[in-house]
Amino acid sequence: MMSQPPRKIMWLVQALSMILFALVSAVVPQWAFAFFLIYFIVFMAVMFKLTSKGMKPPPKSELGSPVFKESNPVNAMMYDKYLNAELKKQMTMMMLNFMLLFFVFILWSIYQAYIGPLIVSIVAGYTENEILLRFTYFLGMYAFFFGVMQGLRFLLFRGSDMQTFLFARMGFEVYRKGVMIDNRQFITFNEDICFAPDPDRKFVELRSRSNKSMRIRLYTLETGKLADKLGEAGVSECQV
């Protein structure tokens, strides 16, 4: 399955990033925008590499012959009457999450008018160092933005059953070692992976025991046969 860094590591990275952003903004503000741009490009590249780690297809000579092959999953998708509603809901949630970015302009006005001056006035009682005052101002700003945005995202997605799905749209092949998705992504079978069949909706879902939001749907009209082949490959059925 696609891997993600542990949540504690992500929180630590975000905290260190805020400190670094505040330091750059306070010491060399003229280079702040360029620094942020380079930082996010590097950050996104690293995250992409980490999340796609282990999904590079191995040479087919190492896989042998597939034990199950589905070349046209779209036929099975047509039997899933809930699929369109699920995709629509996920798209709506993604759009709402994106629209939260515009809320930053409101937060900036609030911070600049009330919170920032208050923080500076408090710190100024202990030091008159201009760089330290600017650093505190920007650190408070980034922490304020981060805290409010995370709180809003929590409220937005609380109770939502939105999951991250990877659909095999062009087909998939199941091997003893794993499953090839659309001839470009390979999911290696391990103890973390289990499967959940849904014959009525014509798919078998691969799930991660450690990351509940990562699910891969394998649509096929032969769900029973696919479940049997996954079991023969050593993948166990998910416990409800």
Side-chain angles (χ1 to χ4, degrees):
M1 301 288 278
M2 288 180 289
S3 60
Q4 289 184 327
R7 182 169 296 183
K8 291 183 179 179
I9 298 297
M10 291 302 299
W11 281 96
L12 178 60
V13 170
Q14 290 169 343
L16 293 177
S17 298
M18 286 190 289
I19 295 175
L20 186 59
F21 290 166
L23 185 62
V24 172
S25 299
V27 178
V28 283
Q30 68 273 20
W31 296 104
F33 179 77
F35 174 80
F36 296 159
L37 185 61
I38 295 174
Y39 176 89
F40 282 114
I41 291 175
V42 173
F43 179 79
M44 292 303 295
V46 171
M47 287 301 299
F48 177 79
K49 187 175 182 62
L50 289 176
T51 54
S52 60
K53 183 180 179 181
M55 297 189 71
K56 182 179 179 180
K60 287 202 172 185
S61 59
E62 298 180 5
L63 296 176
S65 300
V67 297
F68 184 91
K69 184 175 182 179
E70 176 59 64
S71 58
N72 193 4
V74 176
N75 286 338
M77 290 181 183
M78 295 173 63
Y79 287 87
D80 188 355
K81 60 182 179 180
Y82 301 106
L83 178 58
N84 288 335
E86 283 184 342
L87 293 176
K88 183 178 180 181
K89 183 176 181 180
Q90 290 189 51
M91 183 61 66
T92 300
M93 299 299 286
M94 290 175 61
M95 290 299 297
L96 289 175
N97 188 39
F98 177 76
M99 290 175 62
L100 287 178
L101 296 176
F102 294 98
F103 196 66
V104 170
F105 296 104
I106 300 177
L107 295 180
W108 166 250
S109 299
I110 295 175
Y111 185 84
Q112 191 176 34
Y114 304 102
I115 302 176
L118 177 62
I119 293 177
V120 172
S121 65
I122 295 174
V123 177
Y126 299 92
T127 180
E128 295 182 357
N129 186 289
E130 185 176 349
I131 294 180
L132 184 58
L133 290 175
R134 289 203 302 266
F135 171 77
T136 306
Y137 177 87
F138 286 111
L139 181 61
M141 181 184 71
Y142 295 129
F144 174 66
F145 285 2
F146 177 79
V148 173
M149 295 297 287
Q150 288 296 318
L152 290 175
R153 288 193 176 95
F154 173 78
L155 294 175
L156 179 62
F157 293 105
R158 184 180 60 178
S160 172
D161 58 355
M162 187 182 103
Q163 303 290 343
T164 301
F165 296 115
L166 176 62
F167 297 98
R169 301 184 184 278
M170 298 174 60
F172 60 89
E173 298 176 351
V174 178
Y175 297 86
R176 294 288 180 179
K177 294 182 178 181
V179 56
M180 182 82 72
I181 305 291
D182 295 339
N183 289 319
R184 58 188 177 86
Q185 294 174 315
F186 188 79
I187 309 300
T188 302
F189 293 149
N190 54 47
E191 295 181 354
D192 183 57
I193 295 178
C194 61
F195 71 89
D198 193 327
D200 294 333
R201 298 180 63 183
K202 305 301 181 185
F203 66 74
V204 176
E205 200 168 73
L206 296 180
R207 300 178 181 178
S208 169
R209 292 186 173 93
S210 61
N211 188 349
K212 303 301 181 182
S213 67
M214 302 305 295
R215 300 185 179 188
I216 297 175
R217 284 186 181 178
L218 305 177
Y219 278 91
T220 180
L221 296 177
E222 300 179 286
T223 54
K225 181 179 178 180
L226 175 56
D228 291 339
K229 294 301 180 181
L230 289 173
E232 292 176 7
V235 183
S236 59
E237 188 169 349
C238 301
Q239 299 297 321
V240 180

